Amino acid sequence: MPAGMRVGVLTGGGDCPGLNAVLRAVTRKGISVHQHEILGFRSGWLGPVEGLTMPLTLDSVEEILNRGGTILGSSRTNPYKVDDGIARLKATLDEHRVDALIAIGGEDTLGVAQQLTHDGVPVVGVPKTIDNDLDATDYTFGFDTAVHIATDAIDRLRTTAESHHRALVVEVMGRHAGWIALHAGLAGGANVILVPEQPFSVERVCDWVQQRFERQYAPIIVVAEGALPEGGKELLLTGEKDAFGHVRLGGVGTWLADEIAGRTGKESRAVVLGHVQRGGTPTAYDRVLATRFGLHAIDAITEGDFGKMVALRGTDIVRVPLREATASLKTVPLERYAEAEVLFG
């Protein structure tokens, strides 16, 4: 593709630390190296559907590397669920003379990007999710920061748990994949880690809690929001679904704390970390990974290598088909979960 293109970029789905680092890298290399114009679309896929734009210049990305969130804003809009959404999206791209689009997001955002590729829109994807559940990349940016935040919370909660001889249940994000729970639980020295991939026995959890109290220590239990008790169902905050068909999960931590208190007679409390895991300054690792993704994404655009997603394989950034990136979720292998059990109790 020739230099001097007009490139659109958007951030979709849940926000996470590192998004601004991608925007900065895309803009700086796009303008300084490839002589492109960079046009930001606000509020995820809602931007190109509604014509919500924001020019990205060298000045506008000068001080955003260490900022969490996204200067473009985000949403969980699915243009395929909006009346005339795709026609309106294409009309916006035509109106603003956008030659190609960079979509930064997780499975839902990149799923839309994959469909748009089939519908003739030139798109390159960048993987973003704190859940680290995209199968085509070893890591997604945002995950490292979320794990650091959750680990710091566990460290802080341990001191108050010991002071009051309480069991503390820490609920972290993770709808279908327990990567945050596993990594933060291991890093924080949790006594029990519960992930969506492995239904858990409440009785066994309570046995671990009792063993911990018998040793005169307070137990810490880390549970992913999508973790299931044996024979049980996901706990929902509401029955409403978003534009991608997802319900809001939440409450397993509080439910489990009540079960522990009732079965053991020990005081138990639940702490739900929720969106605090998404916010704040990205770690150095996430800043570097996000920057590398952005640099490679704008190169792919320039070369006309559309329908691809940039991905981390080992220490290299590679390009994979969007269909591969969205084919399946990357979940915690049960053998990796099992090998950590020696540390529980």
Side-chain angles (χ1 to χ4, degrees), residues 179 182 197-198 331-342:
W179 293 106
L182 180 64
E197 293 85 347
Q198 177 64 58
T331 55
V332 174
L334 294 184
E335 61 269 19
R336 188 178 303 187
Y337 180 68
E339 72 185 13
E341 288 194 8
V342 69

Side-chain angles (χ1 to χ4, degrees), residues 5-311:
M5 300 168 61
R6 175 170 278 199
V7 180
V9 60
L10 61 85
T11 54
D15 69 301
C16 77
L19 284 167
N20 286 323
V22 181
L23 298 176
R24 173 179 177 269
V26 165
T27 302
R28 287 176 67 90
K29 189 170 189 180
I31 294 174
S32 300
V33 176
H34 298 304
Q35 291 78 53
H36 298 324
E37 290 183 65
I38 310 298
L39 182 67
F41 286 103
R42 295 180 178 272
S43 302
W45 289 114
L46 185 65
V49 171
E50 298 288 347
L52 310 175
T53 65
M54 170 185 171
L56 293 180
T57 65
L58 295 178
D59 286 340
S60 67
V61 300
E62 181 64 30
E63 301 291 341
I64 67 173
L65 178 62
N66 65 339
R67 286 175 56 181
T70 164
I71 61 172
L72 293 180
S74 189
S75 73
R76 296 191 183 277
T77 302
N78 183 348
Y80 284 92
K81 296 294 180 67
V82 176
D83 289 342
D84 298 322
I86 302 305
R88 293 161 62 186
L89 181 150
K90 289 182 176 181
T92 297
L93 298 183
D94 289 340
E95 177 185 350
H96 292 278
R97 306 186 311 282
V98 173
D99 298 298
L101 191 62
I102 295 176
I104 310 167
E107 58 170 321
D108 296 326
T109 300
L110 297 181
V112 170
Q114 162 66 3
Q115 290 178 275
L116 285 174
T117 298
H118 286 297
D119 289 336
V121 178
V123 184
V124 167
V126 175
K128 171 264 357 165
T129 168
I130 66 169
D131 293 322
N132 196 40
D133 59 359
L134 285 174
D135 196 38
T137 183
D138 289 349
Y139 284 98
T140 56
F141 69 87
F143 172 67
D144 187 70
T145 303
V147 169
H148 273 257
I149 292 169
T151 301
D152 181 66
I154 294 168
D155 289 345
R156 293 173 184 273
L157 290 168
R158 185 178 298 283
T159 57
T160 185
E162 296 289 357
S163 296
H164 292 275
H165 311 291
R166 292 170 174 154
L168 274 179
V169 180
V170 184
E171 181 182 315
V172 299
M173 286 184 169
R175 174 182 296 274
H176 300 301
W179 293 106
I180 295 176
L182 180 64
H183 282 242
L186 288 175
N191 308 109
V192 181
I193 301 171
L194 306 174
V195 297
E197 293 85 347
Q198 177 64 58
F200 64 89
S201 163
V202 178
E203 182 178 355
R204 192 178 186 193
V205 171
C206 289
D207 286 343
W208 275 324
V209 167
Q210 290 281 31
Q211 292 172 25
R212 187 70 176 170
F213 276 123
E214 288 170 4
R215 295 178 57 205
Q216 304 302 309
Y217 292 104
I220 300 290
I221 301 95
V222 176
V223 57
E225 62 185 350
L228 300 172
E230 292 177 347
K233 297 181 179 180
E234 294 175 328
L235 294 180
L236 311 180
L237 284 180
T238 71
E240 298 178 358
K241 296 183 179 181
D242 65 19
F244 294 94
H246 301 310
V247 293
R248 289 183 62 193
L249 299 182
V252 65
T254 301
W255 175 85
L256 183 58
D258 291 342
E259 287 290 315
I260 291 171
R263 294 179 184 227
T264 67
K266 301 293 186 179
E267 190 174 2
S268 182
R269 294 284 191 275
V271 176
V272 181
L273 296 186
H275 286 79
V276 70
Q277 295 159 93
R278 293 192 182 279
T281 301
T283 60
Y285 180 88
D286 277 341
R287 295 186 205 187
V288 172
L289 180 58
T291 296
R292 294 183 70 198
F293 279 158
L295 296 176
H296 282 262
I298 196 65
D299 284 346
I301 288 287
T302 304
E303 295 168 19
D305 195 9
F306 306 128
K308 300 291 182 59
M309 182 191 82
V310 292

